[in-house]
Amino acid sequence: MIDMNEIFKKLILILLILFSMYSRVNAEEQKIKIGILVPLTGDDKAIGQLIIKATRMALMDIDTNKIEIYPKDTGSNANTTLISASEFEKMGINIVIGPVFYKSLTYLDEIENITFLSLTNKTIGLPKNIISSGVNATSQINSIKKFIEL
């Protein structure tokens, strides 16, 4: 079974590295803002709530007060996702965890100033500002091969 807490610890560490690459902000003077773009309404809201809880738990384990998370709703809908992403852009947030579903990525290429760490497992046809971090068939097959070799 996948440990969501471990996944989000790794995601946050990746985000910290990305943030340090793209920004010259002094971490002692200003907090790092990370957006979370997940379904908070609709049929998939339970998934969004789990992701937010796992992210908060990961932040507690990392034990830093220099990171702030800002959740916004996708409603598992591309239009709602675009509106929420635009709000993140206005807030000055440059890095966002999410969206979860591929169908929510449709218009995110319009948001040029944000890097999205999407949880989708699809990797073909993604806009330039989206990094797919989901588990896809290729990575699963490679893991199985590695396991067999061991």
Side-chain angles (χ1 to χ4, degrees):
M1 185 167 178
I2 297 173
D3 182 5
M4 292 293 282
N5 195 22
E6 285 299 314
I7 290 172
F8 282 95
K9 278 186 202 174
K10 291 176 184 175
L11 287 176
I12 289 173
L13 288 174
I14 290 169
L15 291 173
L16 288 172
I17 292 167
L18 285 172
F19 185 80
S20 67
M21 287 173 28
Y22 290 112
S23 176
R24 298 193 188 274
V25 175
N26 185 345
E28 292 183 23
E29 294 177 12
Q30 198 169 18
K31 292 190 177 200
I32 299 169
K33 296 179 184 179
I34 298 175
I36 300 180
L37 202 48
V38 293
L40 299 174
T41 58
D43 293 339
D44 301 313
K45 68 181 178 184
I47 293 170
Q49 292 168 350
L50 284 173
I51 291 170
I52 290 172
K53 286 178 185 176
T55 304
R56 287 187 175 141
M57 288 174 57
L59 284 174
M60 287 190 315
D61 286 347
I62 292 172
D63 193 27
T64 182
N65 61 354
K66 294 182 174 147
I67 301 172
E68 290 182 348
I69 60 169
Y70 296 87
K72 291 228 179 260
D73 189 20
T74 65
S76 297
N77 173 287
N79 290 322
T80 305
T81 302
L82 178 61
I83 292 167
S84 293
S86 296
E87 292 172 5
F88 280 145
E89 191 173 39
K90 289 176 187 170
M91 294 170 65
I93 293 175
N94 298 322
I95 298 182
V96 173
I97 297 173
V100 177
F101 302 111
Y102 183 77
K103 64 184 175 184
S104 299
L105 304 175
T106 304
Y107 305 117
L108 292 181
D109 58 344
E110 296 177 25
I111 309 293
E112 296 177 5
N113 299 321
I114 296 178
T115 300
F116 297 92
L117 189 57
S118 176
L119 304 176
T120 183
N121 62 352
K122 303 212 180 196
T123 57
I124 297 173
L126 292 177
K128 293 177 186 175
N129 60 338
I130 296 176
I131 298 169
S132 173
S133 63
V135 177
N136 61 32
T138 304
S139 66
Q140 289 177 351
I141 290 170
N142 289 338
S143 294
I144 291 169
K145 285 180 183 177
K146 194 180 275 186
F147 176 75
I148 291 171
E149 289 171 2
L150 291 174

